[in-house]
Amino acid sequence: MTRLRSDLVWIPTFAILVAFAVPWPLWGVDRVVAGLPVWIWWHVGWLGLCTVLFALFVRSGAWDRGMGQRPGADPVDGTGSGAVDRGGDRP
């Protein structure tokens, strides 16, 4: 799968995450599990899922490409030369 295609897979993935962030399938459900309402457990699980997917998103490099960063480029000047004087105490 090309990078563009793999990056495009993230769009519907995040759309689904946003759509189900609100526990609308559980509206009207009064069930309690382990002393907490089921919708609280939904949020706990959903946040865990979001964490895992965001870690995969960042590791795939899609975040850097979306932000216009090249791999290995210097975050200050974007050239990767490292010739920028940042000052400070560096020798």
Side-chain angles (χ1 to χ4, degrees):
M1 187 180 299
T2 65
R3 286 188 173 185
L4 178 61
R5 281 187 172 185
S6 66
D7 290 352
L8 292 178
V9 169
W10 289 111
I11 295 171
T13 301
F14 285 113
I16 290 170
L17 286 177
V18 170
F20 286 97
V22 176
W24 56 266
L26 297 174
W27 286 355
V29 174
D30 295 331
R31 185 174 295 160
V32 175
V33 175
L36 294 174
V38 172
W39 61 270
I40 294 285
W41 293 114
W42 173 279
H43 279 297
V44 170
W46 205 251
L47 289 174
L49 177 65
C50 289
T51 301
V52 169
L53 287 177
F54 190 71
L56 290 174
F57 174 71
V58 171
R59 287 185 184 172
S60 73
W63 175 270
D64 291 336
R65 288 188 295 278
M67 294 291 118
Q69 299 291 319
R70 290 178 294 144
D74 191 310
V76 176
D77 67 354
T79 64
S81 66
V84 175
D85 181 18
R86 294 187 180 102
D89 296 334
R90 291 185 181 177

